[in-house]
Amino acid sequence: MNKILLAIETSCDETAMALVEASGIKNNPSFKVVKNIISSQIEIHKKFGGVVPNLAKREHKKNLPILFKKFGWQVLNKLDFIAITVGPGLDPALWTGIDFAKEIGKKLKKKVVGANHLEGHLYSNWVTQNSKLETRNSIKFPAVVLLVSGGHTMLVLMSSIYKWRVIGETLDDAAGEAFDKVARMLKLPYPGGPEIEKIAKKGDQNKIKFPRPLLNTSGENKYNFSFSGLKTAVFYYLRDQKLKTNNYKLKTNIAASFQSAIVETLVKKTVLLCRESSAKSVLMCGGVAQNRVLRKALQKSAKLLKIGFFAPDGYLNTDNAAMIGVSAIFRIWSKKKLLSLRSQPHLGL
Ligand code: KG4
Ligand code: ZN
């Protein structure tokens, strides 16, 4: 059955809208992103070194009608429904999107469906950038998913497209958050992940041995992460060595050594779960999945394990509305309870 929907995402600092077409059957779906627009607020939040919730709300409010106008009425009249992220995320930012979705839902007389941002990331591997309806039935189950974003770090075990369990998560900072905080210590701009990756290319990853927290632990933290100690280790290293953050060589070595500590921790725990669950595929998603060093390391491990490796292309790693649309369709097909249309900042997977 064919469905066409308008998806909206405003949980953090990207105002995003996408027109998504879904086809096929429950266990063999195909998707096509007909149109996708992302209006990034990075330049606005950059001067504050991170996302300011009320500024995000103001920008979403300004951007939503501008983006909406780019979709044209003929297309909007064909919609089956509208999908909107209801959580997790920043409360004022989420409300702005929810209120807007309700308003246009009323105007267009279309049903509004709530979507979970984390399910969006989880399903981003089922979205392709092609202009054809495409199926990702090459993802075999059980599948291990490493979800690494600015707000979350999770290991998820999927037994089917519709059934999963969160096996591990971070006890403190998320991987992306650690990248952003360390970048700030090194006086690099926000968001820190891409900046660290860039300068790490010129550094020596073996120069400084930063800790790999919770690696090789058994018991309840076997699959959990903790990045706050690693971030503090970078802070103390800078302080104890009395080194200046304007020393470029030093910055590159810290960036490379820090990145290597994060990548090793993420990859080793993911591989362990793949082994123990006899996974047939390994997937990654979320903003940090954009990191080439992490992608290559996990891809290499998947090859050794002889299992499929999947990671989203380009814009599908970071926040976007296409993944929100796809996750809303999956939720409807799953017959799970629909999410209520109110901001849920701490919604989990
Ligand atoms: O998924 P996302 O766009 O937003 C959240 O849902 O949080 O992820 C944003 C995070 C930021 O912390 C950013 O620094 C990180 O993803 N990130 C990266 C890279 N590109 C983005 N981290 C490491 N390496 C990258 N290349
Ligand atoms: Zn996200």
Side-chain angles (χ1 to χ4, degrees):
M1 95 207 103
N2 259 58
K3 291 263 175 242
I4 184 135
L5 73 145
L6 180 75
I8 305 172
E9 152 67 35
T10 64
S11 69
C12 194
D13 58 348
E14 323 277 7
T15 319
M17 235 176 250
L19 197 68
V20 177
E21 195 182 329
S23 173
I25 47 166
K26 206 180 156 198
N27 288 315
N28 197 14
S30 318
F31 297 104
K32 172 171 130 181
V33 181
V34 183
K35 193 177 175 91
N36 181 70
I37 312 177
I38 303 171
S39 168
S40 176
Q41 304 174 6
I42 283 177
E43 286 311 314
I44 287 150
H45 297 284
K46 223 172 200 167
K47 17 185 194 302
F48 302 97
V51 183
V52 184
N54 277 325
L55 262 184
K57 171 187 166 173
R58 188 192 76 188
E59 289 304 303
H60 287 314
K61 225 173 173 150
K62 190 178 86 190
N63 292 332
L64 282 166
I66 301 173
L67 263 58
F68 185 64
K69 270 199 186 132
K70 297 188 178 166
F71 283 85
W73 287 101
Q74 289 112 309
V75 177
L76 295 172
N77 276 332
K78 287 191 211 143
L79 290 182
D80 288 295
F81 61 92
I82 296 161
I84 175 70
T85 306
V86 295
L90 304 168
D91 191 51
L94 289 164
W95 270 123
T96 314
I98 296 167
D99 288 341
F100 184 81
K102 280 183 176 166
E103 194 187 309
I104 58 165
K106 220 173 186 178
K107 259 191 208 151
L108 299 171
K109 295 193 177 58
K110 302 289 173 191
K111 189 177 164 63
V112 181
V113 173
N116 178 331
H117 185 86
L118 294 175
E119 286 180 19
H121 279 304
L122 196 71
Y123 285 129
S124 57
N125 273 297
W126 275 264
V127 196
T128 60
Q129 292 202 60
N130 293 339
S131 53
K132 295 191 303 252
L133 274 164
E134 210 169 296
T135 312
R136 274 283 173 105
N137 54 9
S138 45
I139 299 175
K140 302 274 184 271
F141 298 96
V144 166
V145 187
L146 173 67
L147 192 162
V148 268
S149 70
H152 295 85
T153 299
M154 289 176 158
L155 271 173
V156 184
L157 183 60
M158 296 180 88
S159 52
S160 75
I161 305 186
Y162 299 99
K163 229 173 153 192
W164 64 77
R165 256 187 328 131
V166 176
I167 305 292
E169 53 194 318
T170 182
L171 303 176
D172 40 59
D173 292 350
E177 196 178 352
F179 268 101
D180 295 338
K181 286 178 176 168
V182 166
R184 207 182 309 167
M185 286 180 213
L186 298 178
K187 308 235 175 334
L188 296 169
Y190 174 84
E195 300 292 329
I196 293 212
E197 180 176 2
K198 202 182 335 164
I199 71 162
K201 283 189 193 128
K202 302 200 178 88
D204 176 359
Q205 63 168 32
N206 299 313
K207 196 77 188 172
I208 313 152
K209 190 74 188 160
F210 286 128
R212 272 82 171 141
L214 299 186
L215 195 62
N216 306 319
T217 41
S218 52
E220 61 176 356
N221 284 326
K222 190 171 171 187
Y223 293 116
N224 285 337
F225 301 95
S226 163
F227 294 116
S228 125
L230 170 59
K231 168 197 73 186
T232 314
V234 176
F235 176 81
Y236 286 135
Y237 181 83
L238 277 165
R239 191 196 64 179
D240 295 347
Q241 307 282 315
K242 293 197 175 54
L243 294 166
K244 300 264 183 306
T245 43
N246 56 6
N247 175 336
Y248 187 69
K249 192 69 214 151
L250 163 77
K251 273 194 188 184
T252 62
N253 288 337
I254 292 179
S257 304
F258 161 79
Q259 181 175 260
S260 146
I262 288 225
V263 168
E264 188 184 329
T265 312
L266 292 171
V267 171
K268 282 201 169 152
K269 293 215 180 213
T270 310
V271 166
L272 187 63
L273 182 57
C274 287
R275 283 218 170 90
E276 295 209 341
S277 60
S278 306
K280 291 190 179 137
S281 319
V282 60
L283 285 59
M284 58 196 292
C285 57
V288 183
Q290 189 99 279
N291 187 287
R292 307 298 317 174
V293 179
L294 175 61
R295 279 171 99 96
K296 274 197 191 139
L298 198 55
Q299 188 167 26
K300 197 171 151 197
S301 300
K303 209 169 171 189
L304 290 172
L305 291 167
K306 297 194 172 65
I307 61 175
F309 167 79
F310 301 85
D313 299 327
Y315 78 85
L316 291 164
N317 290 285
T318 43
D319 290 350
N320 64 87
M323 69 180 193
I324 296 303
V326 168
S327 74
I329 291 172
F330 273 125
R331 187 167 264 272
I332 290 170
W333 282 346
S334 75
K335 301 260 189 306
K336 282 181 195 161
K337 201 170 153 237
L338 288 181
L339 295 162
S340 65
L341 293 179
R342 58 180 171 83
S343 157
Q344 298 170 58
H346 306 292
L347 188 66
L349 247 186

